[in-house]
Amino acid sequence: MKIVILGAGQVGTSVAESLVSEANEITVIDTDLVRLARLQDRLDLRTVVGNAALPSILELAGTGDADMLIAVTQSDQTNLCACRTAATLYKTPTKIARLRSTDYARYPQLLEAKNFAVDFSICPEQIITDYIVKLMAFPEALQVLEFADGLLSLVAVRAIPGGKLVGCPVSDLRRHIPSVEVRIAAIYRGDQPTIPDGETLIEAGDEVFFLAATRDIRQVLSELRRRDRPTRRILIAGGGNIGERLASATQDRYQVKLVEADERRARNLGATLKHTLVLVGDAADENLLSAESIEEMDCFLALTNDDENNILSALLAKGMGARRVLALINRRAYADLMQADRIDIAISPAQVSIGSLLAHVRQGDVAAVHSLRRGAAEALELVVHGDKNTSKVVGRRVDQLDLPHGVTLGAIMRGSAPVAGVADRRRVLIAHHDTVIEAEDHVILFVISKDLVRKVERYFQVSLGFF
């Protein structure tokens, strides 16, 4: 595909990295010449310096024959203007806009073809907030990702000494919880992935990815590690866009404290967050953390815009007794380094939010995409179409599929969604060797390397005879 990306910030750069590796023709527009030069040094793509909202700049970037425009600058206005311009002047088929303001969600008609002509909109800050909320609900998990409209979840968990299944083969899972259908999709030992079979042993320290119905997550987690006590008290460092959203989303369920360095911003937050205690100060100040009883906190979340500050405050909070610490870390090298250290979860904002974009870029009917392991792996939800003559998967058992090595078909959602007067007929099936794939099934695939994604997409596409 020929894709024009507006904005070379964290989100734009991550999107470019992901799409260039899949042999797309990418052009990136930004006003920062130095940032573009660094990007071009690392990746095989074109860059254009200028205001992405101007028709002349979009023309120079080749928007006239682009398949897709991805507008992810920091400015909502620039993104909206670019989408309208691309639709009016170039009839660009697909236009995606990053919208940070919540106002546009309240007035979706503004994004229709006759107005700003945005085909899909994303809000990375809200995606990250929702992601963190799920992690807080399951304190044992490293990742909790939803598929099939929330009916199915992919969960990553660190196996620790004392877990019931540690030192046991994967096949013991069925014996331990016979009433629960679960599939272990992959095991990472260090940075080495393994697609497990029944004889694969689970070792302490393994990062285990499993698929199960969302209602069964807690039961499966208890087999891999001792259950942590529920989250009750949290302290948020940083009252920016994400910190404010998270406090607003959790203040009615937990005891929430928020630390913000800017006094004016803190006063505004105090006025809007009715059930959150807002403090003015530096979250890396040990006297402040001590005064706020950091040792009693179930979760400390470092959510400022400064990687170094997030790392320092999270390490300090952990050292002073916070039970679990999470830090937003934009730089991938920092995130990889700190995840293995005393920070429980290092969150890369761009990698968390990129899945919403990839779902629209992927070929075939893709319902959801989640980027895993800092973008090295992926989990996809594909909708199966066709019949036995036009599809390589319909009417075939899982063990008859010719999937590339490193790809696991873990689960299926089958049945129709509820409509007026008709009950919800969807059901989750954990895939076994003899499970037969049917047309319109939603299949959940775990791909240990992004290099395999295009092969998977081609394999699931229907032949021309279907049309």
Side-chain angles (χ1 to χ4, degrees):
M1 299 175 71
K2 185 171 183 179
I3 302 171
V4 177
I5 299 172
L6 315 185
Q10 290 291 338
V11 176
T13 297
S14 292
V15 172
E17 288 175 345
S18 180
L19 299 181
V20 162
S21 66
E22 298 168 15
N24 294 294
E25 185 180 339
I26 307 296
T27 302
V28 180
I29 304 174
D30 199 278
T31 55
D32 190 326
L33 178 60
V34 175
R35 183 182 285 173
L36 289 176
R38 285 200 299 262
L39 191 61
Q40 198 164 31
D41 284 343
R42 294 191 298 111
L43 303 174
D44 180 20
L45 47 72
R46 284 185 64 223
T47 61
V48 174
V49 183
N51 184 340
L54 296 178
S56 59
I57 297 298
L58 291 173
E59 177 77 30
L60 189 60
T63 309
D65 59 349
D67 300 296
M68 180 177 292
L69 181 85
I70 302 177
V72 287
T73 74
Q74 295 279 350
S75 167
D76 288 358
Q77 291 75 22
T78 297
N79 297 337
L80 289 169
C81 183
C83 287
R84 179 68 265 173
T85 301
T88 303
L89 298 183
Y90 311 115
K91 303 295 187 292
T92 305
T94 304
K95 301 161 293 298
I96 300 174
R98 172 189 186 177
L99 298 176
R100 306 179 77 187
S101 173
T102 56
D103 282 4
Y104 297 107
R106 292 197 291 268
Y107 302 101
Q109 63 269 31
L110 291 173
L111 307 184
E112 293 174 357
K114 63 184 178 181
N115 296 314
F116 285 117
V118 175
D119 298 301
F120 308 103
S121 65
I122 67 160
C123 178
E125 292 82 3
Q126 189 59 48
I127 293 168
I128 294 163
T129 300
D130 295 341
Y131 179 84
I132 295 173
V133 168
K134 291 191 187 79
L135 286 174
M136 292 171 64
F138 298 97
E140 304 89 350
L142 297 173
Q143 282 187 292
V144 181
L145 305 169
E146 290 187 348
F147 292 96
D149 296 331
L151 295 176
L152 186 78
S153 289
L154 174 69
V155 180
V157 61
R158 181 86 61 196
I160 61 172
K164 299 174 189 175
L165 282 174
V166 173
C168 300
V170 167
S171 57
D172 277 12
L173 189 58
R174 181 179 289 273
R175 182 169 58 83
H176 280 237
I177 42 176
S179 61
V180 173
E181 283 279 290
V182 59
R183 177 70 180 272
I184 295 183
I187 294 174
Y188 281 81
R189 193 160 294 157
D191 286 328
Q192 295 302 313
T194 300
I195 300 297
D197 57 29
E199 302 304 313
T200 303
L201 294 180
I202 298 173
E203 298 180 5
D206 284 353
E207 189 174 334
V208 181
F209 286 84
F210 70 83
L211 279 159
T214 301
R215 65 177 182 274
D216 296 326
I217 289 176
R218 292 194 187 281
Q219 198 169 349
V220 180
L221 282 171
S222 67
E223 295 296 319
L224 294 166
R225 55 182 297 156
R226 293 183 299 274
R227 182 164 180 185
D228 288 350
R229 69 174 185 263
T231 301
R232 293 190 179 91
R233 303 179 188 88
I234 69 172
L235 194 154
I236 300 170
N241 209 332
I242 296 174
E244 180 183 13
R245 287 172 186 263
L246 183 64
S248 179
T250 58
Q251 62 183 352
D252 293 328
R253 278 180 277 175
Y254 309 123
Q255 296 177 31
V256 181
K257 295 180 181 180
L258 187 151
V259 179
E260 169 55 44
D262 184 275
E263 184 173 352
R264 180 180 294 180
R265 174 66 176 166
R267 290 185 183 280
N268 290 337
L269 290 170
T272 57
L273 299 171
K274 300 301 184 184
H275 304 294
T276 297
L277 176 61
V278 181
L279 307 165
V280 181
D282 179 4
D285 179 353
E286 62 181 313
N287 292 325
L288 184 149
L289 294 181
S290 178
E292 296 306 321
S293 304
I294 188 64
E295 70 279 0
E296 297 179 1
M297 292 296 159
D298 297 308
C299 194
F300 176 89
L301 303 113
L303 307 179
T304 75
N305 293 321
D306 186 304
D307 282 1
E308 287 80 2
N309 191 59
N310 288 343
I311 292 169
L312 287 173
S313 61
L315 289 174
L316 182 60
K318 189 70 171 181
M320 294 180 68
R323 183 162 63 94
R324 194 178 189 222
V325 298
L326 293 84
L328 283 187
I329 304 177
N330 286 292
R331 294 183 65 173
R332 184 177 300 178
Y334 285 4
D336 289 340
L337 182 65
M338 300 315 300
Q339 180 79 54
D341 199 65
R342 296 172 64 190
I343 292 178
D344 295 301
I345 300 179
I347 299 174
S348 170
Q351 289 300 328
V352 170
S353 56
I354 196 174
S356 296
L357 281 168
L358 293 178
H360 302 304
V361 178
R362 294 281 181 251
Q363 295 175 354
D365 193 348
V366 181
V369 176
H370 289 295
S371 182
L372 311 168
R373 302 280 303 181
R374 309 274 182 268
E378 264 187 28
L380 303 96
E381 178 181 344
L382 298 176
V383 185
V384 179
H385 297 298
D387 53 35
K388 198 163 186 177
N389 296 322
T390 59
S391 167
K392 297 176 183 176
V393 297
V394 172
R396 293 163 177 82
R397 302 185 325 192
V398 169
D399 61 5
Q400 294 175 325
L401 302 181
D402 187 23
L403 294 173
H405 179 71
V407 178
T408 302
L409 197 163
I412 297 167
M413 183 183 74
R414 180 170 294 166
S416 55
V419 293
V422 179
D424 190 345
R425 295 178 179 173
R426 295 172 299 178
R427 56 196 177 107
V428 171
L429 306 172
I430 298 301
H432 299 292
H433 72 281
D434 57 350
T435 304
V436 177
I437 310 296
E438 297 180 3
E440 306 310 313
D441 279 351
H442 288 231
V443 297
I444 316 301
L445 298 148
F446 189 101
V447 183
I448 65 171
S449 171
K450 270 176 50 59
D451 296 338
L452 299 171
V453 169
R454 279 286 181 250
K455 294 180 181 178
V456 171
E457 291 173 341
R458 286 196 295 268
Y459 188 72
F460 277 83
Q461 286 176 343
V462 295
S463 67
L464 291 175
F466 176 68
F467 302 100

